Amino acid sequence: MEILGPVLVSGLTTGALYALATLGLSLVWGVLGMLNMAHGAMLTLGGYAAYAVVTAAGWPAPAGVLAAVLAGAAAGVLIHVMIARPLVRRSPETFETSVMIATFGAAIALQNTILAVAGGQPLGQPLSLSGTARLGPLVAPWQNLLIIGVSIVLMSAVALYLARTRGGRAIRAVSQNREAAALMGVPAEAVYLRVLALSGALAGACGLLVSSLTQLSPTLGSEPMLKAFIMCVVAGLGNIPGAIVASFALAMIEALVQYHFGARWGFPVLLGIVILVLIWRPTGLFGRATVQRL
Amino acid sequence: MRALIPFAVVAVLLAALPFATDSRYVIGQAILMLFYAIVASQWNLLFGFAGVFSLAQMALFGLGGYATAMLGTYFGWNVWLGMPLGAIAVTLFSLILGLACLRVAGAYVALLTLAVTQGIFVLIVTDTDCFQMVGATCRQLTGGAVGFARFGDLGTREIFGGRNFVTANYVLVAMLFLVTMAFTAAIVRGPVGLAFRALRDNPGCAEARGVNRFQMQLLVFAASAFFTGLAGGLYAAHFQSIGPGVFSLSTLLLIIAMAVVGGVGRVWGPFVGAVLLTLADEVMREFGDYRALGLGLIIAAAIVLMPRGVLGLADAALERRKRNA
């Protein structure tokens, strides 16, 4: 039982963070068919935006949260206007690979802008709670509970938005069949813009949460992004509920492996799992095989 | 015959460089550029001609270097023996990778190969168990975060002396580069290259016409691996050290950027890109911190503004002049 407590708390916390990072990535993949390599940089940007507003400008904490979300959303809009829109307009056939390379470049540029502005030294994120909570036999830091809570709220909000609103319906329609949706009068490009902004906002919030647990550094987002790739692939790219389940399940496995075999084996085991899943079920555990017409 | 013209031009240019300058810095940067050009040309063979978007090219390069370094460190093998053996090992590794990638396509190939690369990187960097003691420090089996050094060299220093050995190494790297390009051009222009392109452009149609996808996929993974691994071995032997940095995402990105800027799917595209990006990097050197930023912007801008690369732009310009004339 003493083992189970810390593993459970750490697994749930990292699972919540992974799920949040994966949600944005998976949403963009599902709707635009684009693997956004700049997702990690958007996470980093969110963390730094909150730091800048709270520590440097001295504004209250809610302003910092807002800044993180807005900065992420702005980065998403920029990626749409500067990269995704011109590329998809020019040649939809090569979009899948060209957008990966272009966002890769954008990620490097963004990461190094942050490095040039804020410097490479790690900074402490001011937005964090101290102290621990006791829940029966479980002991959990308030910060971890906050992360789990915020993630669940954000994920529920996105789920409600997708399921119940007009805008969410448009997103799902475009994701299922772009041409048909466009013929029914759904403005596909506006939907793309909205999805990238939403994904950026989620990334910004996620970056703030990640940095509150560790520290701010220009490479903050790269590890969560790699983990998010893993979750996405295990679930099947674009499958949002599957990605969230996979995030929590794999975070638990990672926490268990790290507890039993040492911290260094956590990530390699996840990578091993994703390699096996790709070979065994190329479209992911929850993915459906698609029939290709020639 | 026309295919030989760019060969002759590039060979003459490469041969002229040591006569044009005796700055060791310039020669050193040219060596690095040629290593990148070799890897980029093989990545281009895989992506530009066979349509497989792999992110494992630098891993193959790194494994070639590590194989040479480890054979030298643990078995005392001369690097001239280690390099070909390393290249063969890398080719086998790439065959396995090709098998694993058979059932996936597009972005999934990218993620699978990325997972393999990252896995190797993480396992090496986090390796802290002592394998053997070297003096007072401990060495990990994989070299750990430090890597390997002093496992033998190419022997050029003894023959040509401390002043000229860098130029001698440059000649070796340039020769490997030209052989790699000859190999690439031969494959691309031959029937196998046609099969690669058919599978890239329309896999269903190609298979219906009798192209064996299984065979061709394994062939392209093996073909693009051998010279990459050999270049990795030569890289380790030239610098007399190799560390986990070669597996990092940023080096891989630089390689991809070179191919993209020069022109993907063109035999000489990666070389042109390597020259241009090396020059751009030298110009940006004065701006210090902003070097990587500039490189990232160049990559993003290149793919958005000139998807067919510099060579594609040149083609379009030639075409326009012909039409106007």
Side-chain angles (χ1 to χ4, degrees):
Chain A
M1 258 326 267
E2 315 91 81
I3 310 170
L4 209 62
V7 169
L8 198 67
V9 170
S10 120
L12 276 178
T13 313
T14 44
L17 289 174
Y18 293 167
L20 209 51
T22 310
L23 180 58
L25 199 69
S26 190
L27 198 60
V28 168
W29 173 266
V31 179
L32 281 87
M34 119 180 202
L35 199 58
N36 184 7
M37 302 295 267
H39 200 71
M42 301 200 309
L43 250 78
T44 316
L45 185 69
Y48 273 94
Y51 176 86
V53 165
V54 174
T55 304
W59 291 12
V65 178
L66 196 66
V69 170
L70 286 181
V77 169
L78 261 175
I79 286 178
H80 177 254
V81 174
M82 312 265 295
I83 295 176
R85 192 166 60 187
L87 283 180
V88 81
R89 272 192 191 160
R90 197 183 51 222
S91 57
E93 310 87 52
T94 57
F95 177 71
E96 188 177 348
T97 42
S98 61
V99 80
M100 278 176 73
I101 304 171
T103 48
F104 216 167
I108 296 248
L110 188 53
Q111 189 179 319
N112 283 285
T113 310
I114 292 170
L115 181 69
V117 172
Q121 76 283 8
L123 304 167
Q125 181 60 263
L127 293 172
S128 56
L129 300 173
S130 54
T132 53
R134 284 193 152 274
L135 301 161
L138 286 179
V139 180
W142 278 113
Q143 185 59 33
N144 291 42
L145 295 179
L146 179 73
I147 288 174
I148 298 171
V150 169
S151 302
I152 290 173
V153 168
L154 281 176
M155 284 186 281
S156 316
V158 171
L160 275 179
Y161 172 68
L162 287 177
R164 294 288 162 83
T165 65
R166 214 178 140 77
R169 200 154 59 223
I171 292 177
R172 281 185 294 137
V174 172
S175 135
Q176 280 165 14
N177 189 332
R178 189 186 165 199
E179 279 86 26
L183 287 173
M184 296 302 124
V186 180
E189 288 213 332
V191 167
Y192 286 178
L193 177 72
R194 208 182 305 153
V195 166
L196 266 168
L198 179 62
S199 153
L202 286 171
C206 181
L208 173 59
L209 293 179
V210 171
S211 64
S212 74
L213 208 59
T214 56
Q215 270 182 320
L216 277 170
S217 72
T219 52
L220 171 80
S222 28
E223 202 198 303
M225 183 176 75
L226 283 174
K227 299 274 172 71
F229 283 160
I230 294 177
M231 310 307 167
C232 265
V233 169
V234 168
L237 282 170
N239 182 332
I240 292 170
I244 291 171
V245 173
S247 298
F248 281 103
L250 289 180
M252 282 295 175
I253 293 177
E254 189 188 18
L256 271 176
V257 168
Q258 284 181 334
Y259 192 87
H260 279 286
F261 302 100
R264 85 171 271 232
W265 294 105
F267 193 36
V269 164
L270 290 190
L271 291 168
I273 291 176
V274 78
I275 292 168
L276 290 179
V277 165
L278 273 177
I279 296 171
W280 174 52
R281 285 197 64 129
T283 47
L285 287 182
F286 311 112
R288 247 176 277 136
T290 49
V291 180
Q292 281 210 333
R293 284 171 209 280
L294 302 169
Chain B
M1 272 316 279
R2 281 197 52 203
L4 289 177
I5 297 171
F7 253 105
V9 172
V10 171
V12 167
L13 284 178
L14 289 179
L17 184 77
F19 296 102
T21 175
D22 46 33
S23 150
R24 268 176 74 161
Y25 175 77
V26 172
I27 300 282
Q29 292 302 97
I31 290 177
L32 202 56
M33 182 204 85
L34 285 174
F35 277 127
Y36 289 151
I38 293 173
V39 184
S41 77
Q42 299 310 289
W43 181 80
N44 185 38
L45 182 60
L46 202 53
F47 175 61
F49 292 102
V52 180
F53 191 74
S54 161
L55 295 177
Q57 208 63 31
M58 276 314 284
L60 300 177
F61 181 79
L63 285 178
Y66 265 84
T68 307
M70 286 168 87
L71 286 172
T73 308
Y74 295 124
F75 302 103
W77 282 33
N78 188 305
V79 292
W80 285 103
L81 270 172
M83 287 191 297
L85 201 75
I88 291 169
V90 167
T91 310
L92 290 178
F93 178 79
S94 184
L95 269 177
I96 297 169
L97 207 58
L99 269 179
C101 289
L102 262 179
R103 288 183 61 195
V104 293
Y108 284 100
V109 175
L111 290 174
L112 180 60
T113 47
L114 182 65
V116 171
T117 308
Q118 282 294 315
I120 297 172
F121 177 69
V122 170
L123 282 178
I124 291 179
V125 171
T126 58
D127 189 5
T128 49
D129 300 335
C130 262
F131 181 68
Q132 58 177 214
M133 295 301 290
V134 182
T137 56
C138 99
R139 180 194 287 132
Q140 296 84 18
L141 176 63
T142 59
V146 186
F148 293 97
R150 289 189 295 279
F151 41 79
D153 61 8
L154 292 162
T156 42
R157 195 190 280 271
E158 287 97 273
I159 303 173
F160 298 98
R163 279 184 63 83
N164 292 324
F165 86 101
V166 176
T167 310
N169 284 2
Y170 167 79
V171 172
L172 287 175
V173 179
M175 271 157 49
L176 178 64
F177 170 73
L178 288 174
V179 170
T180 308
M181 291 313 292
F183 165 82
T184 312
I187 283 204
V188 165
R189 287 180 212 288
V192 175
L194 278 178
F196 287 166
R197 269 180 277 180
L199 282 170
R200 172 195 69 187
D201 293 336
N202 193 336
C205 182
E207 275 187 276
R209 302 283 302 193
V211 177
N212 187 336
R213 179 162 173 267
F214 179 79
Q215 209 177 19
M216 287 302 147
Q217 167 128 352
L218 291 191
L219 198 63
V220 75
F221 268 90
S224 64
F226 183 78
F227 283 100
T228 309
L230 201 57
L234 191 58
Y235 175 91
H238 165 66
F239 286 103
Q240 293 176 45
S241 73
I242 185 119
V246 287
F247 294 101
S248 71
L249 224 49
S250 51
T251 328
L252 175 75
L253 177 69
L254 186 67
I255 297 294
I256 294 178
M258 285 172 175
V260 168
V261 167
V264 169
R266 313 282 303 244
V267 173
W268 290 96
F271 174 72
V272 172
V275 173
L276 288 176
L277 280 192
T278 306
L279 290 177
D281 197 37
E282 289 303 318
V283 172
M284 289 189 291
R285 181 173 293 277
E286 292 172 29
F287 299 100
D289 288 350
Y290 297 96
R291 240 168 115 186
L293 203 172
L295 204 58
L297 286 180
I298 289 176
I299 292 160
I303 197 132
V304 174
L305 300 177
M306 42 175 212
R308 289 167 64 216
V310 173
L311 287 184
L313 280 188
D315 268 3
L318 272 181
E319 200 117 303
R320 232 173 294 136
R321 273 189 59 185
K322 241 183 238 164
R323 227 179 301 140
N324 291 345

